[in-house]
Amino acid sequence: MAAPRVWLLWRVGVFLAALAPLVFWGWQVAINAAGPEPGNYLLLNIGIGGLWMLLLTLSLTPLTKLTRWKGFALIRRQLGLWTLAYASLHMLSYALFILGLNWALLGSELVKRPYIIVGMIALIGLAVLGATSNKWSMRRLGKRWKPLHKFAYVILGLVLLHFFWVVRADLQEWAMYAAIAALVMATRLPPVARTLPKLRYRLSRT
């Protein structure tokens, strides 16, 4: 099979895998299997899905260094845009099911739940990264493009803070995601990043 066709199938497979959770959650709501509060069910699951998408996106660079497989690099922008899509749907779920599209309630919600502000800042950051993830923006921004897209690390911290505020009564799940995020970020540290190619070489010799 020709290489372009392989990469196309790979990208289609990633697209379907990213879409599958949304279809499943929507189906659970449709068949009344999402519990007594389907709106909250969608809000929470889509939010966690967005966190997973962000973690997967940030994992692609170290995975590329470790394996030298360019398939990971090919889906970096795709997963980044999926992260933005999940975050946008999370915000839409909040507007629909919590606010009931009554924007007059937003002011009091921000006072009672400041984690919403943190989440909105993260969403705006993701929107900026999504809008500048194309080749035209890379050419226009030049050397400024990479520093801008390193803001993804800040966004990860904001998302974890947002999630911490939401689930602070039970931090076991949050701690798991924080540990995964710490591991992903550790692979970005220069001493660790430099060892990944060496580790790949050692694994290939075993």
Side-chain angles (χ1 to χ4, degrees):
M1 187 179 293
R5 188 175 299 179
V6 171
W7 298 132
L8 176 61
L9 290 175
W10 167 237
R11 285 174 167 170
V12 170
V14 170
F15 176 88
L16 294 175
L19 180 63
L22 297 174
V23 174
F24 174 76
W25 297 326
W27 174 249
Q28 291 294 98
V29 171
I31 63 174
N32 296 318
E37 297 182 334
N40 284 336
Y41 171 86
L42 289 175
L43 179 67
L44 180 60
N45 280 291
I46 293 173
I48 292 176
L51 175 54
W52 271 115
M53 287 294 167
L54 181 56
L55 289 170
L56 287 171
T57 303
L58 292 175
S59 299
L60 293 176
T61 295
L63 283 173
T64 302
K65 290 181 179 179
L66 182 62
T67 65
R68 292 188 69 182
W69 187 56
K70 70 176 184 178
F72 292 127
L74 284 174
I75 62 168
R76 185 184 295 116
R77 180 171 185 263
Q78 183 181 1
L79 281 189
L81 292 175
W82 270 113
T83 303
L84 174 59
Y86 269 74
S88 300
L89 288 172
H90 180 62
M91 181 63 186
L92 179 60
S93 298
Y94 169 76
L96 283 173
F97 305 122
I98 305 301
L99 293 181
L101 295 180
N102 183 358
W103 298 106
L105 297 175
L106 183 58
S108 60
E109 283 286 299
L110 293 177
V111 172
K112 291 188 296 184
R113 300 176 177 87
Y115 58 80
I116 298 171
I117 299 174
V118 175
M120 291 176 69
I121 294 172
L123 176 58
I124 292 169
L126 286 171
V128 171
L129 297 188
T132 58
S133 63
N134 51 73
K135 291 182 179 179
W136 181 85
S137 296
M138 292 177 70
R139 289 194 299 268
R140 290 284 293 179
L141 292 169
K143 293 181 179 179
R144 294 171 294 174
W145 189 85
K146 281 190 176 181
L148 173 64
H149 278 251
K150 285 184 179 180
F151 189 67
Y153 310 151
V154 178
I155 292 173
L156 177 59
L158 291 172
V159 171
L160 287 171
L161 177 59
H162 174 78
F163 190 32
F164 174 83
W165 248 324
V166 172
V167 299
R168 54 186 172 181
D170 182 8
L171 295 180
Q172 185 175 356
E173 185 178 9
W174 180 87
M176 179 190 71
Y177 288 111
I180 295 172
L183 178 61
V184 170
M185 293 306 299
T187 62
R188 301 278 182 149
L189 296 173
V192 179
R194 286 194 294 267
T195 64
L196 291 178
K198 297 177 183 178
L199 179 60
R200 181 192 67 239
Y201 175 75
R202 291 172 184 171
L203 290 174
S204 65
R205 295 292 298 273
T206 57

